[in-house]
């Protein structure tokens, strides 16, 4: 009985991920940023996979209700528990958040197939799962950085940029700021306290200044927060960005093909049962 329920749950998860609802999703929200996968793999139908399936199901379902959610399945003592979370950018509405998370989970299952731990960042949302409990634990590891190729020597630009970055470091989980032609925003995961969020953002802003120097646009993603700024008209994709977009488009094509195959399999199964 349990196996039958699990099989149905898995099928519903696959169909939900591969056939997301049509929404007014912002195109930029689905842009691929980065993915990380553990080298260790789990076996099919293993206890960990049985726990991971309901976590991913809950992530997809929860994203239509709230911009953040964290989940656990299984007992810690079993060694097969699964932990996961999602975070949408707080300016997205519920439909855009849900569409983004569905896309992220679908891409994660392809890019990091059978990995014990994985994370994937799209421009509008983030999804992560693991066989180790990472929920609510501060982590300021730098996972991704992007600096524009355009630079400036204008003192006014630096003053405006520093004003924006200073305003963004106040512990709010999501904040947008602007000064003159410079804009920026930051976000922390929903389970961070104000103090931990401030500490994470301080690290991210420090990385922006130290690593990207005089660039007119920069992004830094730490494990639990990110910071971004850009000067008007200068947030242009670099060659690295184009490579990332190619990855996203390739994954999207694969997801589309698998969606078609999944529907054909379901349709044929239905015909066999009715004939």
């Amino acid at each position: 009985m349990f196996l039958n329920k699990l099989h149905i749950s898995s099928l519903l998860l696959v169909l939900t991920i591969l056939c997301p609802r049509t929404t007014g999703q912002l195109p930029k929200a689905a842009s691929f940023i980065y993915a990380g996968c553990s080298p260790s793999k789990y076996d099919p139908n293993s206890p960990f996979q049985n726990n991971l399936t309901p976590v991913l199901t809950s992530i997809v379902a929860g994203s239509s209700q709230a911009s953040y959610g964290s989940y656990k399945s299984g007992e810690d003592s079993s060694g097969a528990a699964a932990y996961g979370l999602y975070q949408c950018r707080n300016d997205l509405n519920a439909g855009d958040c849900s569409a983004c998370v569905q896309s992220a989970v679908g891409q994660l299952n392809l890019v990091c197939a059978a990995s014990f731990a994985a994370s994937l960042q799209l421009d509008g949302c983030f999804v992560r799962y693991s066989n180790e409990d990472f929920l609510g634990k501060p982590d300021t590891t730098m996972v991704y950085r992007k600096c524009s190729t355009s630079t400036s020597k204008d003192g006014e630009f630096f003053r405006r940029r520093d004003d924006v970055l200073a305003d963004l470091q106040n512990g709010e989980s999501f904040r947008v700021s602007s000064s003159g032609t410079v804009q920026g925003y930051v976000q922390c995961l929903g389970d961070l306290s104000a103090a931990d969020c401030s500490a994470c953002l301080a690290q991210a802003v420090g990385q922006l200044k130290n690593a990207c120097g005089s660039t007119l646009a920069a992004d830094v993603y730490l494990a639990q927060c990110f910071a971004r700024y850009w000067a008007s008209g200068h947030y242009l994709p670099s060659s690295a960005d184009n490579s990332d977009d190619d990855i996203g488009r390739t994954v999207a094509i694969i997801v589309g093909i698998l969606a078609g195959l999944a529907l054909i399999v379901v349709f044929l199964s239905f015909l066999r049962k009715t004939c």
Side-chain angles (χ1 to χ4, degrees):
M1 185 68 174
F2 173 75
L3 290 177
N4 288 335
K5 287 183 178 179
L6 180 61
H7 175 72
I8 294 172
S9 175
S10 299
L11 179 59
L12 288 175
L13 174 63
V14 170
L15 291 177
T16 301
I17 290 170
L18 296 182
C19 305
R21 292 167 295 178
T22 300
T23 70
Q25 183 182 6
L26 298 175
K28 191 176 182 182
S31 298
F32 181 91
I33 304 296
Y34 71 83
C37 320
S38 71
S40 54
K41 305 289 186 179
Y42 59 81
D43 294 325
N45 301 315
S46 64
F48 176 72
Q49 185 181 34
N50 293 342
N51 286 324
L52 179 60
T53 296
V55 167
L56 295 179
T57 303
S58 297
I59 285 175
V60 171
S63 63
S64 64
Q65 305 297 320
S67 62
Y68 169 80
S70 61
Y71 307 92
K72 171 192 171 184
S73 178
E75 298 298 325
D76 295 334
S77 58
S78 69
Y83 309 85
L85 62 77
Y86 73 90
Q87 174 75 67
C88 284
R89 210 174 62 207
N90 280 15
D91 62 330
L92 297 184
N93 61 38
D96 292 337
C97 175
S98 177
C100 185
V101 169
Q102 289 180 43
S103 177
V105 172
Q107 294 184 44
L108 197 62
N109 286 334
L110 292 172
V111 176
C112 300
S115 289
F116 269 112
S119 61
L120 188 138
Q121 178 77 57
L122 300 183
D123 198 275
C125 61
F126 172 70
V127 173
R128 179 183 178 186
Y129 74 80
S130 178
N131 60 332
E132 298 181 359
D133 186 4
F134 63 91
L135 302 175
K137 297 178 180 178
D139 184 357
T140 56
T141 304
M142 205 275 288
V143 293
Y144 180 80
R145 180 180 66 237
K146 176 176 63 180
C147 309
S148 73
T149 55
S150 302
T151 60
S152 175
K153 296 181 181 179
D154 182 14
E156 179 68 7
F157 163 74
F158 291 114
R159 185 178 71 80
R160 297 289 189 178
R161 183 201 65 177
D162 291 348
D163 286 346
V164 168
L165 295 179
D167 184 49
L168 293 174
Q169 297 179 72
N170 68 349
E172 291 185 26
S173 60
F174 179 77
R175 187 172 178 82
V176 179
S177 183
S178 64
S179 178
T181 62
V182 180
Q183 304 170 66
Y185 64 88
V186 295
Q187 183 159 14
C188 292
L189 288 182
D191 60 356
L192 288 189
S193 66
D196 288 337
C197 180
S198 290
C200 189
L201 293 177
Q203 291 257 20
V205 168
Q207 289 274 3
L208 283 177
K209 291 183 176 180
N210 295 333
C212 295
S214 59
T215 60
L216 289 168
D219 298 351
V220 164
Y221 288 82
L222 306 186
Q224 293 183 309
C225 69
F226 71 85
R228 166 181 291 180
Y229 76 82
W230 68 96
S232 296
H234 289 281
Y235 199 72
L236 302 174
S238 65
S239 58
D241 299 333
N242 291 332
S243 177
D244 286 339
D245 288 342
D246 288 343
I247 294 173
R249 282 192 291 270
T250 300
V251 171
I253 291 171
I254 295 173
V255 169
I257 293 172
L258 290 178
L261 292 175
L263 289 175
I264 292 172
V265 170
V266 172
F267 180 68
L268 292 176
S269 298
F270 175 78
L271 288 179
R272 283 199 296 270
K273 290 180 180 179
T274 55
C275 294

